[in-house]
Amino acid sequence: MDQRYVCDCLKNCGCSHEDIEKYQNHRQPNRYLKELRQKQLDEVHKQQDKLAILDQLCYEIKEKTIHGNYKK
């Protein structure tokens, strides 16, 4: 596979220059890609947790507003 294409893909998914260099020099590049993927997935899960908190807050505010218990 063309290295330029691979580097562009890695840049587009948010990998740092350091990550790209590590990929290029890694003895098992596919294994390193799996590590990068897991790192990205961990970040997604952290963001999902934050969104869940905001969703819960919005829900609670909406419920309190509808039922007249919301205090300004």
Side-chain angles (χ1 to χ4, degrees):
M1 184 173 288
D2 180 45
Q3 285 291 44
R4 179 178 282 172
Y5 173 74
V6 172
C7 289
D8 286 344
C9 288
L10 292 173
K11 285 179 194 173
N12 290 338
C13 75
C15 291
S16 67
H17 181 70
E18 181 180 290
D19 287 334
I20 294 169
E21 283 184 1
K22 283 181 182 178
Y23 166 79
Q24 290 172 328
N25 298 321
H26 204 279
R27 288 178 48 172
Q28 295 177 314
N30 285 344
R31 184 177 182 169
Y32 188 66
L33 282 179
K34 288 179 182 180
E35 292 172 15
L36 289 174
R37 185 183 186 283
Q38 186 61 51
K39 187 172 144 182
Q40 289 287 340
L41 191 57
D42 291 344
E43 287 301 315
V44 167
H45 289 153
K46 287 178 188 175
Q47 294 302 318
Q48 284 178 323
D49 291 343
K50 291 176 184 178
L51 283 172
I53 293 167
L54 287 173
D55 287 345
Q56 181 64 32
L57 181 60
C58 290
Y59 171 78
E60 289 176 12
I61 289 172
K62 181 179 176 184
E63 285 299 305
K64 287 181 181 180
T65 301
I66 290 173
H67 298 299
N69 297 330
Y70 182 72
K71 296 179 182 176
K72 292 182 181 180

